[in-house]
Amino acid sequence: MPKAQLRTAVYPGSFDPITNGHLDVIERACRLFDRVIVAVAHNEQKAALLSIDERMQLISSVTSHLKAVEVATFDGLLVEFARNSGASTLIRGLRAVSDFEYEFQMALMNRRLAPEIETLFLTPSEETSFLSSRLVKEIARLGGEISPFVPPPVSKTLKTLFATRRKKSPRTRNPRTITRRK
Ligand code: PNS
């Protein structure tokens, strides 16, 4: 089928790194669309752990079983990228009420900018709805086990990265207490 006739959706995000929650949303989107472009945003205001290339490679490797998925990166406005990609829909995962305000504001703003593009919210599975890239990074940085939360290549990448960092700058692992003399 020519690309113009495919039902195309863009799933944008930072994906720093991709988690099982993101993957769950991607799999759901693939049941609804012929083509799902997972689009990694360039955001110079947000300090990232992984480079854009590393994030794209990880996404590509963990979605290799999904034929509808394309991995891309974009700079500038999301709606412009969606338009140029021939997408009719933006996908966002909605995990909890706490996500809602930000997502609602973004969806309405994107609608103002591009009324022909819809935002579709997908609910991730209960098992993954508490996950966030930020928490995964924090756990990995502190030496915790992240394999239940991210696909194996992501777990491996983060473990290696933080193990190297810990070797370079070891820190005190013992919590300290102050004992008052009575
Ligand atoms: O995973 P994130 O960090 O919550 O994703 C946020 C993202 C990348 C979707 C958002 O920041 C975005 O759309 N950035 C592109 C710039 C843009 O279009 N901004 C206007 C949004 S209303």
Side-chain angles (χ1 to χ4, degrees):
M1 205 191 288
K3 274 194 173 174
Q5 285 172 27
L6 297 175
R7 286 173 309 154
T8 301
V10 169
Y11 179 34
S14 305
F15 303 106
D16 184 39
I18 185 168
T19 67
N20 288 345
H22 293 126
L23 191 54
D24 182 273
V25 169
I26 295 170
E27 283 168 349
R28 286 171 202 282
C30 286
R31 287 184 222 132
L32 302 170
F33 294 89
D34 304 309
R35 188 172 163 235
V36 175
I37 305 172
V38 182
V40 182
H42 263 283
N43 185 352
E44 275 160 21
Q45 277 145 12
K46 217 170 168 181
L49 174 70
L50 302 173
S51 70
I52 296 273
D53 280 352
E54 286 170 322
R55 285 180 261 167
M56 289 176 74
Q57 266 162 29
L58 286 172
I59 297 167
S60 181
S61 109
V62 307
T63 57
S64 58
H65 60 297
L66 300 165
K67 295 289 156 273
V69 169
E70 288 173 27
V71 186
T73 182
F74 72 101
D75 229 335
L77 283 179
L78 170 60
V79 288
E80 285 306 323
F81 173 77
R83 267 184 187 140
N84 295 335
S85 311
S88 58
T89 310
L90 303 173
I91 303 281
R92 291 289 288 172
L94 204 54
R95 291 167 299 187
V97 180
S98 51
D99 284 344
F100 184 75
E101 207 173 328
Y102 168 64
E103 293 298 337
F104 188 67
Q105 192 181 19
M106 205 157 69
L108 289 182
M109 182 57 88
N110 281 330
R111 181 179 286 164
R112 272 295 171 98
L113 297 172
E116 77 282 13
I117 296 176
E118 286 295 341
T119 298
L120 181 67
F121 294 112
L122 295 179
T123 319
S125 66
E126 288 143 67
E127 300 81 53
T128 61
S129 58
F130 62 95
L131 289 178
S132 74
S133 300
R134 184 181 60 79
L135 284 181
V136 164
K137 280 183 282 193
E138 185 170 321
I139 294 165
R141 183 171 58 79
L142 298 171
E145 187 51 61
I146 56 166
S147 53
F149 314 131
V150 291
V154 177
S155 173
K156 196 171 160 217
T157 302
L158 262 63
K159 276 181 188 165
T160 310
L161 204 148
F162 283 112
T164 315
R165 285 192 184 183
R166 271 195 295 275
K167 255 188 216 157
K168 278 190 190 153
S169 55
R171 62 193 164 79
T172 314
R173 283 195 156 262
N174 298 331
R176 294 189 203 163
T177 51
I178 297 173
T179 317
R180 284 207 197 97
R181 287 213 186 111
K182 289 194 179 147

